[in-house]
Amino acid sequence: MSDMRLSPVADADAMPVGGVTWSRGGQMNNFANTAPASFFILSHFVFAQDTHAAWPPQGHFNVLYFASAGSFTGREQEALPAPMPLGKLFAELEARHPGMTAAILDSCLVTVNLDYVDMPADGSDGAVIQEADEVAIIPPVSSG
C-alpha cells in the first residue's frame, strides 16, 4: 500500500504541535523545538494517497480491485495476460480466486480504460482487452 502523507491544501500555513514531524511536498519538517502551546490548523490539510497503478508487465493488462473485491482477493491489483476477450475475464478471475463470481462478480461494475462496459451475454467473447489496458472491478458500495 502507498504511504499516506499529510499535505497542505492551497496556501494554508501550518502552526505545528511541539515534536510533530510532517511532510510538505516531500520535504520533512521537524518541530521538536517549538513551544508546546503551538498547534496545527487541521482544516487546511488533507490526507492524500498515491493510487496510480504500476504499469503491467509486457504482454499483460492490469485489473484493479476496489472495495470488497480488494478484500476478497487480498490485493489492490493484478496483471493478467493480454489479449483476453472481455467475455473470458470473469472465468479467469474465478479460476484465480475461487468463489469470486458469487461473492463479487455477479453484482459488480466493470470499466476498461475508465469506460464502463457491459459484460457480454453468455457464450459471447465481446470486446478484447489489450496489452497495457486497465480493467477495474467495482463492487456495489454503500455509505451511511
Side-chain angles (χ1 to χ4, degrees):
M1 179 173 258
S2 303
D3 292 339
M4 296 294 285
R5 297 186 292 278
L6 188 62
S7 303
V9 174
D11 296 320
D13 290 324
M15 291 184 270
V17 173
V20 172
T21 301
W22 61 285
S23 172
R24 181 178 183 158
Q27 176 184 1
M28 296 304 291
N29 299 288
N30 189 339
F31 298 100
N33 297 324
T34 60
S38 58
F39 58 92
F40 273 112
I41 302 173
L42 292 178
S43 63
H44 290 87
F45 288 83
V46 295
F47 285 97
Q49 182 178 13
D50 180 9
T51 57
H52 176 71
W55 284 100
Q58 185 173 1
H60 290 73
F61 64 92
N62 273 341
V63 178
L64 307 181
Y65 298 112
F66 290 90
S68 59
S71 297
F72 187 89
T73 62
R75 35 178 84 199
E76 294 177 2
Q77 69 181 43
E78 126 180 77
L80 298 181
M84 180 183 294
L86 189 58
K88 297 197 184 306
L89 175 65
F90 282 7
E92 178 66 25
L93 294 177
E94 178 66 24
R96 290 171 178 260
H97 308 285
M100 188 175 188
T101 298
I104 307 293
L105 301 177
D106 283 345
S107 60
C108 75
L109 295 173
V110 177
T111 66
V112 176
N113 298 326
L114 302 177
D115 291 324
Y116 286 97
V117 295
D118 291 323
M119 294 304 290
D122 294 334
S124 172
D125 284 346
V128 176
I129 305 167
Q130 300 294 333
E131 178 179 358
D133 281 352
E134 183 179 81
V135 175
I137 304 298
I138 308 169
V141 294
S142 64
S143 62

